[in-house]
Amino acid sequence: MTMTYYNLGNSGLRVSRMALGTMTFGTEWGWGADRETARAMFDTYVEAGGNFFDTADLYTGGTSETWLGEFVADRGLRDKAVIATKFTMNTEPGNPNAGGNGRKNIMRAVEASLRRLGTDYIDLYLLHVWDKLTPAEEVMRTLDDLVRAGKVRHVGLSDVPAWYAGRAQVIAELRGYEPVSALQLEYSLAERTIEHEFVPFGTRHGAGIMVWSPLASGLLSGKYRPTQAGNAGRLDGFRNTTHPGFQKFTERNWKIVTELEKVAAELGRSMPQVALNWVATQPGIASVILGATKLAQLQDNLGALDFSIPADLRERLDSVSRSPAPFPYSYFGSEIQARVTGGASTGDKPVGYAPPVLIEGEAVSVTSS
């Protein structure tokens, strides 16, 4: 694939459209990749031109961060690699301050991540999940302190309510703190709810969306069926789970899988490639996190942007995965909004008003021939 780099949100940080997720680095959770496989996936991604790596202090008990740091160092890539890691989760039972988004835990967590990664700075540091307790003021002030101290370059939020993200960004703007450059959120053909709030917020207020679970925990890979004997993958182990992130086996989702399979066959592409292409080319999406456990999976995923989905096939995917807009979003469609404009065609800017910037071509030589 040809790797193209774009700014992350309103920052000057340039990242590849496909990020390498390293939650699968290590087998401590009973699944994942051993060190040899993880290294092979890392090398394959780098050789394809990828520069964006996602991890977290929670992943595989710290193995993910440790291996990623070692792989980056072994190839001398620290200046080239864009490393994103996250804090929030508690790994010390009984100690409430060893988790959450308070200043005490953030300061503890960043030092631990820096040690495991073997680096003196983190390119993108993200709050992992809203803890329902810590004020956004405390979080943003602490993250800004880390930026000013040189330990963090940019900051982001993962798995938070949209109102909380909006408040955090306003606090940063009004107080001169480092702004939110990225939102890390679940998004796929099977999970499209971020389109109502987060995509408009991100595009209007400078936060690029990093997508996690673009294949809906593997559901969109095609290896799962409504009735299935045996274990096709880790999602089979969650068929009766109460974990909200793994409740993927629904009648609606099986319809999506069926249509995705048909579209992929017509395109002559794999189901994962089509699902990833659809996600990566949706509005507001900055980068898509690839989370493979096998080298062959990653190699297939890296071909996801080597083609375009024709408009008619894209509409079929949109249609089968679209859900009715809940209130108040049902009031923001043309049916109600035309009452606001008096029926006149009205928009914010004409097409082509602000053409995108894309720099391509060979660099000019400064030596004489």
Side-chain angles (χ1 to χ4, degrees):
M1 66 176 293
T2 300
M3 197 69 75
T4 306
Y5 309 91
Y6 291 95
N7 283 15
L8 182 63
N10 275 355
S11 78
L13 189 63
R14 296 158 188 174
V15 300
S16 46
R17 295 177 71 192
M18 295 292 185
L20 181 62
T22 66
M23 186 175 74
T24 60
F25 282 18
T27 58
E28 286 81 357
W29 290 350
W31 50 271
D34 59 25
R35 185 183 177 87
E36 181 180 359
T37 303
R39 182 58 187 258
M41 291 194 292
F42 175 89
D43 289 339
T44 297
Y45 175 74
V46 169
E47 287 156 14
N51 75 338
F52 199 13
F53 303 90
D54 179 74
T55 185
D57 57 2
L58 170 73
Y59 295 164
T60 54
T63 296
S64 173
E65 284 186 325
T66 299
W67 287 4
L68 175 59
E70 291 172 357
F71 298 164
V72 169
D74 288 348
R75 294 191 56 149
L77 295 175
R78 187 62 195 95
D79 287 340
K80 180 178 181 179
V82 177
I83 297 176
T85 192
K86 301 179 282 291
F87 65 88
T88 296
M89 301 302 185
N90 196 313
T91 57
E92 188 180 331
N95 179 3
N97 286 310
N101 301 324
R103 188 178 187 89
K104 181 177 177 66
N105 182 55
I106 295 176
M107 301 300 283
R108 177 206 63 79
V110 73
E111 296 296 343
S113 287
L114 289 169
R115 286 194 299 272
R116 283 189 292 268
L117 288 164
T119 184
D120 56 3
Y121 72 95
I122 294 164
D123 295 289
L124 176 64
Y125 201 39
L126 300 110
L127 177 153
H128 204 157
V129 66
W130 183 44
D131 67 6
K132 300 180 68 173
L133 296 170
T134 309
E137 291 87 344
E138 181 175 342
V139 172
M140 297 308 294
R141 170 60 192 271
T142 305
L143 292 176
D144 186 67
D145 286 346
L146 293 179
V147 171
R148 292 173 187 270
K151 296 182 179 183
V152 169
R153 299 292 188 258
H154 300 276
V155 304
L157 303 172
S158 174
D159 304 337
V160 300
W163 67 262
Y164 188 90
R167 178 164 178 78
Q169 193 72 308
V170 168
I171 290 168
E173 291 173 353
L174 292 178
R175 298 188 179 182
Y177 296 163
E178 180 67 22
V180 175
S181 297
L183 297 170
Q184 191 170 128
L185 303 162
E186 182 177 6
Y187 187 48
S188 70
L189 282 164
E191 177 51 75
R192 297 181 58 178
T193 54
I194 70 167
E195 293 174 358
H196 297 301
E197 285 280 358
F198 289 99
V199 170
F201 166 74
T203 54
R204 287 167 173 77
H205 301 291
I209 295 175
M210 300 170 62
V211 172
W212 64 263
S213 199
L215 297 181
S217 299
L219 178 74
L220 303 177
S221 68
K223 63 184 177 182
Y224 298 101
R225 298 301 178 200
T227 57
Q228 183 169 297
N231 191 341
R234 64 187 176 95
L235 196 56
D236 267 325
F238 292 99
R239 282 184 181 264
N240 299 311
T241 186
T242 58
H243 191 304
F246 294 108
Q247 294 177 357
K248 305 298 185 186
F249 298 136
T250 66
E251 183 177 350
R252 169 183 175 270
N253 284 354
W254 291 128
K255 291 179 181 178
I256 294 172
V257 169
T258 298
E259 191 62 35
L260 174 62
E261 186 172 26
K262 293 177 182 177
V263 169
E266 292 184 40
L267 287 170
R269 292 284 177 170
S270 71
M271 289 173 65
Q273 286 181 340
V274 175
L276 290 168
N277 184 296
W278 181 89
V279 167
T281 53
Q282 286 288 99
I285 304 306
S287 191
V288 177
I289 301 171
L290 307 178
T293 57
K294 297 180 177 64
L295 179 58
Q297 293 172 337
L298 178 64
Q299 290 170 328
D300 179 75
N301 291 174
L302 287 172
L305 295 180
D306 291 342
F307 64 99
S308 297
I309 302 175
D312 60 327
L313 298 185
R314 191 177 195 93
E315 174 53 32
R316 283 165 53 182
L317 294 174
D318 288 345
S319 179
V320 74
S321 62
R322 189 179 295 123
S323 297
F327 179 82
Y329 309 103
S330 56
Y331 269 59
F332 305 149
S334 59
E335 302 85 354
I336 300 296
Q337 291 295 302
R339 298 289 300 274
V340 177
T341 64
S345 296
T346 307
D348 59 346
K349 301 290 187 299
V351 174
Y353 176 86
V357 176
L358 180 62
I359 302 170
E360 296 180 305
E362 297 295 326
V364 66
S365 173
V366 295
T367 59
S368 58
S369 58

